[in-house]
Amino acid sequence: MINDARWGAALALALVCATPLVLSTPAHAETTPLRYRSRGAAVTDLQKALRERGFLWSKPTGVYDSRTRFAVWAFQKSRGMRPQTLVGPATLRALSRPSKRPPLPKSLRTGAVIDLRRQLLTVYRDHRKVMTVHVSTGAHSRYCHSGRCAIAITPVGDFRITKRTPGWTTGPLGSMYNSLYFVGGVAIHGSSQVPRRPASHGCVRVPLRAADRLFELLDVGDPVHVRRST
């Protein structure tokens, strides 16, 4: 079962996310975009802002690493922006403005909402947003395996987590990490390949570090709402 102490920390983060955020950024950040592997105070400020909004769940390091890149993509997509690694004035301005919250399913006290259009997964606890993650879902392309063919589609609907499988497992369609199954063999799982487009056979791929956090937050029986758009 889920550790209550972990939820206490998650709720504390969610309460911070509920308040408007003013991003303090060095003046030069407006003219010098932040790039992958950039270092310095401007990166630290970016990481703090992403963490306070639930897009980054590790401590600021001042280094623009892969975790920061995934968090940037998720934030940009949440604001209707094209996901890109370069962080310029438009992204920084968006971080300084409060977000508009879509209505939640009434059943969702604890669980996940997957937005297929924006390629985002958001986890809630007691109707509060805990984290938002960049994902890659079904590619909507035809694939064949062992003489059988199908279309790679992530099913839309209201489901619940039925099984949790920790660590790495290898199935007929590839490797999965910290898998959370919610309908048949379709799962939310960590992957080393989470591109900026739908690319899976139907599962919901998430970055590996995100899979660790999701495995802490979600348990068997928690709702998973998959929507074409939210």
Side-chain angles (χ1 to χ4, degrees):
M1 296 300 293
I2 303 298
N3 188 304
D4 289 340
R6 288 172 178 164
W7 277 123
L11 282 175
L13 174 60
L15 288 171
V16 174
C17 295
T19 60
L21 173 68
V22 176
L23 178 63
S24 174
T25 326
H28 69 269
E30 287 295 317
T31 56
T32 306
L34 300 178
R35 304 174 185 275
Y36 188 57
R37 301 194 186 283
S38 292
R39 296 171 178 266
V43 176
T44 299
D45 287 336
L46 171 67
Q47 291 171 328
K48 288 179 179 177
L50 292 168
R51 179 178 170 84
E52 287 171 353
R53 288 203 176 279
F55 294 92
L56 184 69
W57 46 97
S58 57
K59 293 182 179 180
T61 61
V63 179
Y64 192 153
D65 54 12
S66 60
R67 281 176 287 183
T68 306
R69 177 178 58 192
F70 287 131
V72 166
W73 291 356
F75 172 75
Q76 290 168 335
K77 290 190 291 184
S78 76
R79 295 302 181 90
M81 305 169 69
R82 182 173 64 86
Q84 55 183 343
T85 302
L86 193 71
V87 176
T91 299
L92 296 176
R93 284 194 298 269
L95 273 167
S96 70
R97 296 192 295 265
S99 62
K100 296 180 180 179
R101 293 185 176 183
L104 298 179
K106 292 182 179 179
S107 65
L108 190 62
R109 290 194 62 202
T110 298
V113 174
I114 298 165
D115 184 325
L116 297 180
R117 180 179 64 84
R118 295 190 295 175
Q119 293 289 281
L120 289 174
L121 182 155
T122 302
V123 178
Y124 294 88
R125 175 68 174 179
D126 292 330
H127 299 287
R128 296 184 183 276
K129 183 172 71 172
V130 175
M131 67 183 292
T132 302
V133 181
H134 158 73
V135 302
S136 178
T137 60
H140 283 263
S141 59
R142 187 171 185 268
Y143 69 94
C144 297
H145 179 78
S146 299
R148 301 183 65 180
C149 297
I151 303 297
I153 295 175
T154 300
V156 173
D158 300 315
F159 312 100
R160 290 186 179 272
I161 293 173
T162 58
K163 179 182 177 182
R164 289 161 36 99
T165 303
W168 285 101
T169 56
T170 300
L173 297 177
S175 297
M176 305 162 66
Y177 176 70
N178 280 358
S179 303
L180 299 164
Y181 293 89
F182 61 90
V183 54
V186 179
I188 301 165
H189 69 82
S191 173
S192 59
Q193 300 293 324
V194 191
R196 287 174 284 186
R197 68 184 190 282
S200 80
H201 292 97
C203 285
V204 180
R205 297 183 192 174
V206 301
L208 295 176
R209 294 298 180 92
D212 285 330
R213 184 66 174 144
L214 288 170
F215 211 76
E216 293 176 348
L217 296 177
L218 297 174
D219 203 356
V220 170
D222 285 341
V224 176
H225 299 280
V226 184
R227 298 287 184 263
R228 290 185 176 86
S229 179
T230 58

